[in-house]
Amino acid sequence: MRRKDWASAGDGVHCYAPDGALLGKILLDEVVANLCFGGPKRNRLFICATTTLRAIYVRARGA
């Protein structure tokens, strides 16, 4: 699996390829301040937004 970079953004979470190409977005109704991967398989993305903490499962695995 190739490496991806994940970034918090004003409209949610953005996922980038190593060359900087935007691969996709997870759109949210709040500004995202921070994010990290967790869980036993490191495939759960924890998202800290303006007033909420959210968690979703993704196909990627965090480092």
Side-chain angles (χ1 to χ4, degrees):
M1 182 181 279
R2 60 181 231 204
R3 186 180 142 245
K4 297 173 183 82
D5 292 314
W6 297 75
S8 57
D11 61 352
V13 177
H14 295 187
C15 182
Y16 295 94
D19 66 359
L22 180 64
L23 297 174
K25 296 180 181 182
I26 301 171
L27 298 175
L28 298 175
D29 57 350
E30 297 182 284
V31 175
V32 174
N34 203 350
L35 55 96
C36 71
F37 283 92
K41 296 182 180 178
R42 309 237 359 118
N43 65 338
R44 192 163 190 189
L45 183 62
F46 292 93
I47 303 167
C48 297
T50 304
T51 61
T52 60
L53 171 63
R54 303 174 190 211
I56 62 168
Y57 287 100
V58 295
R59 285 191 235 173
R61 282 190 170 180

